[in-house]
Amino acid sequence: MPTDQSPFARLIVSNLRVGSVIYKHCDFTTPPKVKYMVVASLEPNLLVLMINSEVNRFYIDRGLDHFHVPVSQVDHQFLDYDSYANCIEAHNAFNLSDIRQELIDNYTSVFKGWITDECLESVYHAVKGNNMIRRNYQREIISAIEDKLPHLHTAF
């Protein structure tokens, strides 16, 4: 984060952390559209997991629906519906510096809040327990969530 930012800008940008939910247009979805996403890692990559209002039939038919973590609307007031975080596919689709600038320029449109620690812990277990996600992304997400929720650190 650049040090020449105002204290207010630094405060805004500090809200972008593991477990944050952002709302952005995604060119990589079919069809491209605006989506909610959970920030799963910031370093070395900005990795996000998509939040969907339902689990895609493709995943259900293949027995992969348990890798979709429920994100309840009651606990996450920014959502219009009970939804699911897809923990099978992490996306490295955005530049962290660009997202930080978007937060400063248009905070309420981009930043929506955070998932609960309980939900983030469920994301951790879903990511850790699946072999579909890219291995380097899996390691990065596990490490990032362990840093946020230290009780998840496992002894080696």
Coordinates of all heavy atoms in Angstrom, one line a residue, residues 47-87:
L47 N -6.5 -13.4 -4.6 CA -7.3 -14.5 -5.0 C -8.7 -14.3 -4.4 O -8.9 -14.0 -3.3 CB -6.8 -15.8 -4.5 CG -5.4 -16.2 -5.0 CD1 -4.9 -17.5 -4.4 CD2 -5.4 -16.4 -6.5
V48 N -9.7 -14.6 -5.3 CA -11.1 -14.4 -4.8 C -11.9 -15.7 -5.1 O -11.5 -16.5 -6.1 CB -11.8 -13.2 -5.5 CG1 -11.2 -11.9 -5.1 CG2 -11.8 -13.4 -7.0
L49 N -12.9 -16.0 -4.3 CA -13.8 -17.1 -4.5 C -15.2 -16.5 -4.8 O -15.6 -15.5 -4.2 CB -13.9 -17.9 -3.3 CG -12.6 -18.5 -2.7 CD1 -12.8 -19.2 -1.4 CD2 -12.0 -19.5 -3.7
M50 N -15.8 -17.0 -5.8 CA -17.1 -16.5 -6.3 C -18.2 -16.8 -5.2 O -18.2 -17.9 -4.7 CB -17.5 -17.1 -7.6 CG -16.5 -16.9 -8.7 SD -16.0 -15.2 -9.0 CE -17.5 -14.5 -9.6
I51 N -19.1 -15.9 -5.1 CA -20.3 -16.2 -4.3 C -21.5 -16.3 -5.2 O -21.7 -15.3 -6.0 CB -20.6 -15.1 -3.2 CG1 -19.4 -15.0 -2.2 CG2 -21.9 -15.3 -2.5 CD1 -19.5 -13.9 -1.2
N52 N -22.2 -17.4 -5.2 CA -23.3 -17.6 -6.1 C -24.6 -17.8 -5.3 O -24.6 -18.3 -4.1 CB -23.1 -18.8 -6.9 CG -21.8 -18.7 -7.8 OD1 -21.7 -17.7 -8.5 ND2 -20.9 -19.6 -7.6
S53 N -25.7 -17.5 -5.8 CA -27.0 -17.6 -5.1 C -27.5 -19.1 -5.1 O -28.3 -19.4 -4.3 CB -28.1 -16.8 -5.8 OG -28.2 -17.1 -7.1
E54 N -26.9 -19.9 -5.9 CA -27.1 -21.4 -5.8 C -25.9 -22.1 -6.3 O -25.0 -21.6 -7.0 CB -28.4 -21.7 -6.7 CG -28.3 -21.3 -8.1 CD -29.6 -21.5 -8.8 OE1 -30.7 -21.2 -8.3 OE2 -29.6 -22.0 -10.0
V55 N -25.9 -23.4 -6.0 CA -24.8 -24.3 -6.5 C -25.1 -24.7 -7.9 O -26.2 -25.3 -8.1 CB -24.6 -25.5 -5.5 CG1 -23.5 -26.4 -6.0 CG2 -24.3 -25.0 -4.1
N56 N -24.2 -24.5 -8.8 CA -24.4 -24.9 -10.2 C -24.7 -26.5 -10.3 O -24.0 -27.3 -9.6 CB -23.2 -24.6 -11.0 CG -23.3 -24.8 -12.4 OD1 -23.5 -25.9 -12.9 ND2 -23.2 -23.7 -13.2
R57 N -25.6 -26.8 -11.1 CA -26.0 -28.2 -11.3 C -24.8 -29.1 -11.7 O -24.7 -30.3 -11.3 CB -27.1 -28.3 -12.4 CG -27.6 -29.7 -12.6 CD -29.0 -29.8 -11.9 NE -29.1 -31.0 -11.2 CZ -29.4 -31.2 -9.9 NH1 -29.6 -30.2 -9.2 NH2 -29.6 -32.3 -9.4
F58 N -23.9 -28.5 -12.4 CA -22.6 -29.2 -12.8 C -21.9 -29.8 -11.6 O -21.5 -30.9 -11.6 CB -21.7 -28.2 -13.5 CG -20.3 -28.8 -13.8 CD1 -20.1 -29.5 -15.0 CD2 -19.3 -28.5 -12.9 CE1 -18.8 -30.0 -15.3 CE2 -18.0 -29.0 -13.2 CZ -17.8 -29.8 -14.4
Y59 N -21.8 -29.0 -10.5 CA -21.1 -29.4 -9.3 C -22.0 -30.5 -8.5 O -21.4 -31.4 -8.0 CB -20.8 -28.3 -8.4 CG -19.8 -27.3 -9.0 CD1 -20.2 -26.0 -9.3 CD2 -18.5 -27.7 -9.3 CE1 -19.2 -25.1 -9.9 CE2 -17.6 -26.9 -9.9 CZ -18.0 -25.6 -10.2 OH -17.1 -24.7 -10.8
I60 N -23.3 -30.3 -8.5 CA -24.2 -31.2 -7.8 C -24.1 -32.6 -8.4 O -23.9 -33.6 -7.8 CB -25.6 -30.6 -7.8 CG1 -25.7 -29.4 -6.9 CG2 -26.6 -31.7 -7.2 CD1 -27.0 -28.6 -7.0
D61 N -24.2 -32.6 -9.8 CA -24.2 -33.9 -10.5 C -22.8 -34.6 -10.3 O -22.8 -35.9 -10.4 CB -24.4 -33.6 -12.0 CG -25.8 -33.1 -12.3 OD1 -26.7 -33.3 -11.5 OD2 -26.0 -32.6 -13.5
R62 N -21.8 -33.9 -10.0 CA -20.5 -34.6 -9.8 C -20.1 -34.8 -8.3 O -19.0 -35.1 -8.0 CB -19.4 -33.7 -10.5 CG -19.5 -33.9 -12.0 CD -18.8 -32.8 -12.8 NE -19.0 -33.0 -14.2 CZ -20.1 -32.8 -14.9 NH1 -21.2 -32.4 -14.3 NH2 -20.1 -32.9 -16.2
G63 N -21.1 -34.5 -7.4 CA -20.9 -34.7 -6.0 C -19.9 -33.7 -5.4 O -19.3 -34.0 -4.4
L64 N -19.8 -32.5 -6.0 CA -18.9 -31.5 -5.5 C -19.6 -30.4 -4.8 O -19.0 -29.4 -4.5 CB -18.1 -31.0 -6.7 CG -17.3 -32.0 -7.4 CD1 -16.7 -31.4 -8.7 CD2 -16.2 -32.6 -6.5
D65 N -20.9 -30.5 -4.5 CA -21.6 -29.4 -3.9 C -21.1 -29.2 -2.4 O -21.3 -28.0 -1.9 CB -23.1 -29.7 -3.9 CG -23.5 -31.1 -3.4 OD1 -22.9 -32.1 -3.8 OD2 -24.5 -31.2 -2.7
H66 N -20.5 -30.1 -1.8 CA -20.0 -29.9 -0.4 C -18.8 -29.0 -0.4 O -18.4 -28.5 0.7 CB -19.7 -31.2 0.3 CG -18.7 -32.1 -0.4 ND1 -18.9 -32.8 -1.5 CD2 -17.4 -32.2 0.0 CE1 -17.8 -33.4 -1.9 NE2 -16.9 -33.1 -1.0
F67 N -18.3 -28.6 -1.5 CA -17.2 -27.6 -1.6 C -17.7 -26.2 -1.8 O -17.0 -25.3 -2.2 CB -16.2 -28.0 -2.7 CG -15.4 -29.3 -2.4 CD1 -15.4 -30.3 -3.3 CD2 -14.7 -29.4 -1.2 CE1 -14.7 -31.5 -3.0 CE2 -14.0 -30.6 -0.9 CZ -14.0 -31.6 -1.9
H68 N -19.0 -26.1 -1.6 CA -19.7 -24.8 -1.7 C -20.2 -24.4 -0.3 O -21.1 -25.1 0.2 CB -20.8 -24.8 -2.7 CG -20.3 -25.0 -4.1 ND1 -19.9 -26.2 -4.6 CD2 -20.2 -24.1 -5.1 CE1 -19.5 -26.0 -5.9 NE2 -19.7 -24.7 -6.2
V69 N -19.6 -23.4 0.3 CA -19.9 -23.0 1.7 C -21.1 -22.1 1.7 O -21.1 -21.1 1.0 CB -18.6 -22.4 2.3 CG1 -19.0 -21.8 3.6 CG2 -17.5 -23.3 2.4
P70 N -22.1 -22.5 2.5 CA -23.3 -21.6 2.7 C -22.8 -20.2 3.3 O -22.0 -20.2 4.2 CB -24.2 -22.3 3.7 CG -23.7 -23.8 3.6 CD -22.2 -23.7 3.3
V71 N -23.4 -19.2 2.7 CA -23.2 -17.8 3.1 C -24.6 -17.2 3.3 O -25.2 -16.8 2.4 CB -22.4 -17.0 2.1 CG1 -22.1 -15.6 2.7 CG2 -21.1 -17.7 1.7
S72 N -25.0 -17.3 4.6 CA -26.4 -16.9 4.8 C -26.7 -15.4 4.7 O -25.8 -14.6 5.2 CB -26.9 -17.4 6.2 OG -26.2 -16.7 7.2
Q73 N -27.8 -15.1 4.2 CA -28.2 -13.7 4.1 C -28.4 -13.0 5.5 O -28.1 -11.9 5.7 CB -29.4 -13.5 3.2 CG -29.8 -12.1 2.8 CD -30.5 -11.3 3.8 OE1 -31.3 -11.9 4.6 NE2 -30.3 -10.0 3.8
V74 N -28.9 -13.8 6.4 CA -29.1 -13.3 7.8 C -27.8 -12.8 8.4 O -27.8 -11.8 9.0 CB -29.8 -14.4 8.6 CG1 -29.8 -14.0 10.1 CG2 -31.2 -14.7 8.2
D75 N -26.7 -13.5 8.2 CA -25.4 -13.2 8.8 C -24.6 -12.2 7.9 O -23.6 -11.7 8.3 CB -24.6 -14.4 9.0 CG -25.2 -15.3 10.1 OD1 -25.8 -14.8 11.0 OD2 -25.0 -16.5 10.0
H76 N -25.1 -12.1 6.6 CA -24.3 -11.2 5.7 C -25.4 -10.3 5.0 O -25.8 -10.6 3.9 CB -23.6 -12.1 4.7 CG -22.7 -13.1 5.4 ND1 -23.1 -14.4 5.7 CD2 -21.4 -13.0 5.7 CE1 -22.1 -15.0 6.3 NE2 -21.0 -14.2 6.4
Q77 N -25.7 -9.2 5.6 CA -26.8 -8.4 5.2 C -26.6 -7.7 3.8 O -27.5 -7.3 3.2 CB -26.9 -7.2 6.2 CG -27.4 -7.7 7.6 CD -28.8 -8.2 7.6 OE1 -29.7 -7.5 7.2 NE2 -29.0 -9.4 8.2
F78 N -25.4 -7.7 3.3 CA -25.1 -7.2 1.9 C -25.7 -8.1 0.9 O -25.9 -7.7 -0.3 CB -23.6 -6.9 1.7 CG -22.7 -8.1 2.1 CD1 -22.5 -9.1 1.2 CD2 -22.1 -8.1 3.3 CE1 -21.7 -10.2 1.5 CE2 -21.3 -9.2 3.6 CZ -21.1 -10.2 2.7
L79 N -26.0 -9.4 1.2 CA -26.5 -10.3 0.2 C -28.1 -10.2 0.1 O -28.7 -9.9 1.2 CB -26.2 -11.8 0.6 CG -24.7 -12.1 0.5 CD1 -24.5 -13.6 1.1 CD2 -24.2 -12.1 -0.9
D80 N -28.6 -10.4 -1.0 CA -30.1 -10.4 -1.2 C -30.6 -11.8 -0.9 O -31.8 -11.9 -0.6 CB -30.4 -10.0 -2.6 CG -30.1 -8.6 -2.9 OD1 -30.2 -7.7 -2.0 OD2 -29.7 -8.3 -4.0
Y81 N -29.8 -12.8 -1.0 CA -30.3 -14.2 -0.8 C -29.2 -15.0 -0.1 O -28.1 -14.7 -0.1 CB -30.4 -14.9 -2.2 CG -31.2 -14.1 -3.2 CD1 -30.5 -13.4 -4.2 CD2 -32.6 -14.1 -3.2 CE1 -31.2 -12.6 -5.1 CE2 -33.3 -13.4 -4.2 CZ -32.6 -12.6 -5.1 OH -33.3 -11.9 -6.0
D82 N -29.7 -16.1 0.5 CA -28.7 -17.1 1.0 C -27.9 -17.5 -0.2 O -28.4 -17.7 -1.3 CB -29.4 -18.3 1.6 CG -30.1 -18.1 2.9 OD1 -29.7 -17.0 3.6 OD2 -30.9 -18.8 3.4
S83 N -26.6 -17.7 0.0 CA -25.7 -17.9 -1.1 C -24.7 -18.9 -0.8 O -24.7 -19.5 0.3 CB -25.1 -16.6 -1.6 OG -26.1 -15.7 -2.0
Y84 N -23.7 -19.2 -1.7 CA -22.7 -20.2 -1.5 C -21.4 -19.6 -2.1 O -21.3 -19.1 -3.2 CB -23.0 -21.5 -2.3 CG -24.3 -22.1 -1.8 CD1 -25.5 -21.6 -2.3 CD2 -24.3 -23.0 -0.7 CE1 -26.7 -22.2 -1.9 CE2 -25.6 -23.5 -0.3 CZ -26.7 -23.1 -0.9 OH -27.9 -23.6 -0.4
A85 N -20.3 -19.8 -1.3 CA -18.9 -19.5 -1.8 C -18.4 -20.8 -2.5 O -18.3 -21.8 -1.9 CB -18.0 -19.1 -0.6
N86 N -18.0 -20.6 -3.7 CA -17.5 -21.7 -4.5 C -16.0 -21.9 -4.1 O -15.2 -21.0 -4.5 CB -17.6 -21.4 -6.0 CG -17.0 -22.5 -6.9 OD1 -16.2 -23.3 -6.4 ND2 -17.4 -22.5 -8.1
C87 N -15.7 -22.9 -3.4 CA -14.3 -23.2 -2.9 C -13.5 -24.1 -3.8 O -12.5 -24.6 -3.4 CB -14.4 -23.7 -1.5 SG -15.1 -22.5 -0.4

